[in-house]
Amino acid sequence: MNEFAKILCDIGAVKIQPNDPYTFTSGWKSPIYIDCRLIISFPEQRERVIQAMCDQVEQFARAGKIDFIAGGETAGIPYAAFIADRLGLPMIYVRKKPKEFGTKSSIEGRINLGWDGVLVEDLMTDGRSKEMFAQSISSAGGSVRRIIVVARYDLFPTVIIEQEVRCLVTTREIIDHLIGDRVVDDNTSHVLELFRDDPVSWSSTMGGRAEL
């Protein structure tokens, strides 16, 4: 069993609505929603998650120097702050769109030309926002070749992005935990199985997106 699936379920970060599914920004419908923002309020679980993400950054660092940690607005910012502080690395965060006043920058913090960093986020669905954040960093003179997220909705099709992506837990692993450990009732288990086995058709049937 993936320990992070249990952590997220234990703190109430996994929300399930089998009959009134969630609609993601990407348009997909899902009976399960993962609210990783809750992790920051649980010190013990937060410690385990941050340490695991730091371990991933250090693995990346063995393959090439890491110059900074980047967080995406807004949910990625606290993760970037915790990780950068623990590893003694510079931190930046990336806005979803440039400020409409002042410097009109998409980047908060400083990137030196040629710096290569790691983007950390709470969730990844289809990868579009991660691609956008990486492009903003590139426009500022840096680069991102690696991404770490707490949870990944691995069941839906994704856009092809250049970066290597690692996650601590996937939707499939969370569903397997919910069903295997009988955390949910039989009816909910059935809905989750249908979604897990054919998420695109399930989304389409529920009025959501039907293709990439």
Side-chain angles (χ1 to χ4, degrees):
M1 180 190 71
N2 184 299
E3 69 168 302
F4 298 103
K6 186 175 188 307
I7 283 175
L8 290 173
C9 290
D10 286 350
I11 67 173
V14 177
K15 316 292 185 181
I16 305 170
Q17 293 184 179
N19 300 316
D20 183 22
Y22 299 95
T23 303
F24 298 150
T25 304
S26 54
W28 297 112
K29 292 276 190 179
S30 170
I32 185 169
Y33 178 80
I34 309 166
D35 185 5
C36 289
R37 293 172 177 84
L38 281 178
I39 295 171
I40 63 176
S41 296
F42 293 84
E44 182 179 343
Q45 291 84 353
R46 183 184 69 210
E47 164 65 24
R48 183 67 194 99
V49 168
I50 296 303
Q51 185 57 55
M53 297 179 85
C54 286
D55 291 344
Q56 295 282 3
V57 173
E58 290 178 329
Q59 286 183 28
F60 285 143
R62 287 194 284 272
K65 187 173 183 291
I66 301 300
D67 298 302
F68 64 92
I69 301 295
E73 183 188 12
T74 56
I77 295 174
Y79 292 102
F82 287 128
I83 293 168
D85 182 67
R86 182 166 300 190
L87 298 179
L89 289 169
M91 175 201 156
I92 66 164
Y93 73 84
V94 191
R95 293 181 176 273
K96 293 176 182 176
K97 60 181 182 179
K99 288 192 295 187
E100 296 178 353
F101 54 88
T103 62
K104 299 185 177 179
S105 174
S106 296
I107 304 292
E108 298 298 344
R110 175 176 293 178
I111 301 178
N112 289 341
L113 186 64
W115 270 13
D116 184 35
V118 176
L119 174 66
V120 296
E121 281 273 76
D122 65 331
L123 292 171
M124 179 170 172
T125 306
D126 64 3
R128 293 178 191 273
S129 65
K130 311 301 176 280
E131 184 179 48
M132 178 190 70
F133 288 143
Q135 289 174 349
S136 294
I137 291 171
S138 178
S139 296
S143 65
V144 167
R145 291 182 291 162
R146 304 170 181 92
I147 297 171
I148 303 171
V149 297
V150 177
R152 183 171 187 174
Y153 287 99
D154 60 323
L155 299 177
F156 292 121
T158 60
V159 296
I160 297 175
I161 61 177
E162 297 179 357
Q163 293 76 21
E164 178 183 353
V165 180
R166 294 187 186 179
C167 67
L168 302 187
V169 66
T170 66
T171 308
R172 184 180 299 276
E173 290 171 325
I174 291 172
I175 291 174
D176 289 347
H177 166 62
L178 291 169
I179 296 173
D181 288 359
R182 303 189 67 81
V183 179
V184 293
D185 59 38
D186 290 343
N187 179 65
T188 302
S189 290
H190 178 63
V191 172
L192 291 174
E193 286 177 342
L194 292 174
F195 171 70
R196 179 192 63 193
D197 295 342
D198 194 349
V200 173
S201 293
W202 196 92
S203 174
S204 177
T205 299
M206 299 303 290
R209 188 171 170 180
E211 60 184 0
L212 183 62

